Structure formats: C-alpha cells, structure tokens
Amino acid sequence: MTNKNKHDAAWESAWKDLKARVGECQKCDLCRTRTNTVFGQGNIDSPLVFVGEGPGAEEDESGLAFVGRAGQLLTKILSSGDIDRESAFIANVVKCRPPENRTPLPEEMMACGDWLEAQLLLLRPKIVVCLGNVALKWILKTTEGITALRGRWFDWRGIQVFAMFHPSFLLRNDSRSKGSPKDLTWHDVQDLKKRLVSIGD
Ligand code: URA
Ligand code: SF4
C-alpha cells in the first residue's frame, strides 16, 4: 500500500478502516464514559497536523476536535500567524474524553497512541505541531515539559515536530505581557508560518 497518493483506493480504504476501528474502540476505560470518539478532522492533504491532548465536553458531544473554547482560541492563534485552521488536519492523543477533563493516564495514552501513530503514518505530514505536554510527551517520549521545549523543532521519524503551548493553558494564563505564554505563542505561530512558507506551503 502506498501512502504517497491519498486519493488511491488503498489509501482511502486504510483511512476509512482506521476511522471505523477508532469509532468502535474499547482498548481503554475511556470508552465507558465517552459519548463519541473524536477521530480528528481537517485537510488530509495538508503538510501540517496539530495534535492536542484529548476531547473536552463539546468535542465529546460533537465528535469533532477543538470545537470548544480552546478550539476557538486555537483558530484565533493560527489566524494571527496567517494560518487557516481548515487547511490543516487536527487530532488528539486520546480519542475519548477523559472524565472531568483530567489528563489522560499513561496507559490510556499508550493504548490510544497506536491510533495516532497510524493516522500520522497515513497522513505523512511534513510538520506535526504538539499542542501542550501530553502531545509532546507522546511524540518525543521526553520528561521535559512544554515550557522548556516550546518554540523548538524536533524530529519524529523524518517529520518535523514543533512544540507550542496548549490553548487551554493560554485560557488560564491570559496575560499578554512580554515573555508571557501568550506572547511566546504569538512568536511561535510566526515561526511556524515561516517554516510552512519555507517548505513551500
Ligand atoms: N483540548 C484538546 O486537547 N483537544 C480538543 O480536541 C479540545 C480541547
Ligand atoms: Fe480506544 Fe483511545 Fe478511546 Fe481508549 S481513548 S477507548 S484507546 S479510542
């Protein structure tokens, strides 16, 4: 199976199959409390994929990633860097909502990470942006936190990885003063845009 051409029948059937398997997944206990799985959505042809943590209440209700308050802030952040969120693909490390929006447990991330890995291997983006600690930890297997690693570029299997603060963190840290998480994020999104332009997108 090739994953170069996402419009060939083999790719399409692998993607559809993956989506169906996620939709009925019971690999961890989060399946018991979910309303919907959240596979992720967006442009499958994009060189850019965003990875968040996991669905919140609105995402669990709608089955769509980043549609609540954090999602609205994400849209704003991206447009401040002249990036249209619809042009990218957006997914999460865990596909089912953790109760009370708690951080996913390591075993939940392990179980669900297989789905994300399969998604990334099929999508083959040029850039993966980790939004916050959970995505960063899952991709880089690092114990270093987002505050130390944001704004930096890494490699994951030949894909460029960029770390940014999670929009929910920015909702809780609203200051725009110099050096604040919001200010740093504004710089990060400009840097991301520059990289996108340099890879010809
Ligand atoms: N937070 C996330 O990490 N993902 C979502 O889809 C929504 C909020
Ligand atoms: Fe399956 Fe992931 Fe949902 Fe757990 S969180 S049940 S691994 S889809």
Side-chain angles (χ1 to χ4, degrees):
M1 185 194 67
T2 172
N3 54 25
K4 290 234 163 57
N5 182 353
K6 293 173 189 162
H7 299 285
D8 74 15
W11 192 94
E12 276 179 9
S13 101
W15 186 250
K16 228 174 107 185
D17 180 60
L18 183 60
K19 205 168 176 174
R21 283 159 65 209
V22 169
E24 59 196 29
C25 178
Q26 302 192 352
K27 283 203 293 173
C28 81
D29 283 348
L30 295 181
C31 72
R32 296 172 194 242
T33 43
R34 74 177 176 225
T35 311
N36 289 297
T37 56
V38 178
F39 183 70
Q41 79 276 358
N43 177 8
I44 56 166
D45 293 316
S46 179
L48 178 61
V49 172
F50 290 92
V51 179
E53 180 172 325
E58 289 91 342
E59 290 79 18
D60 177 61
E61 272 300 315
S62 65
L64 295 169
F66 280 103
V67 291
R69 273 183 78 214
Q72 286 158 23
L73 180 56
L74 178 64
T75 306
K76 265 171 66 181
I77 292 166
L78 296 182
S79 58
S80 82
D82 196 22
I83 299 169
D84 173 12
R85 82 170 256 179
E86 305 296 329
S87 70
F89 193 86
I90 306 188
N92 285 304
V93 174
V94 296
K95 311 301 193 213
C96 303
R97 182 190 182 197
E100 315 298 328
N101 297 344
R102 64 158 170 74
T103 304
L105 301 172
E107 58 265 34
E108 294 160 354
M109 287 168 63
M110 282 278 285
C112 210
D114 291 346
W115 298 133
L116 178 59
E117 182 171 356
Q119 285 178 304
L120 293 176
L121 294 178
L122 281 168
L123 291 170
R124 292 308 296 163
K126 294 203 173 119
I127 296 174
V128 170
V129 177
C130 293
L131 296 170
N133 261 322
V134 167
L136 190 67
K137 284 210 163 100
W138 184 82
I139 295 255
L140 295 183
K141 311 290 179 238
T142 173
T143 53
E144 274 204 82
I146 190 74
T147 306
L149 299 186
R150 59 132 284 280
R152 287 171 53 185
W153 290 90
F154 305 91
D155 173 87
W156 183 79
R157 303 188 183 186
I159 298 174
Q160 302 176 57
V161 170
F162 190 52
M164 286 175 59
F165 284 122
H166 193 289
S168 299
F169 177 75
L170 299 176
L171 286 171
R172 297 191 299 271
N173 293 271
D174 204 36
S175 160
R176 286 168 191 274
S177 58
K178 201 164 155 36
S180 65
K182 268 201 167 164
D183 177 55
L184 295 170
T185 299
W186 189 83
H187 287 282
D188 291 347
V189 79
Q190 314 297 321
D191 191 10
L192 175 62
K193 176 67 182 185
K194 268 193 221 140
R195 187 69 68 111
L196 278 167
V197 170
S198 80
I199 63 168
D201 204 76

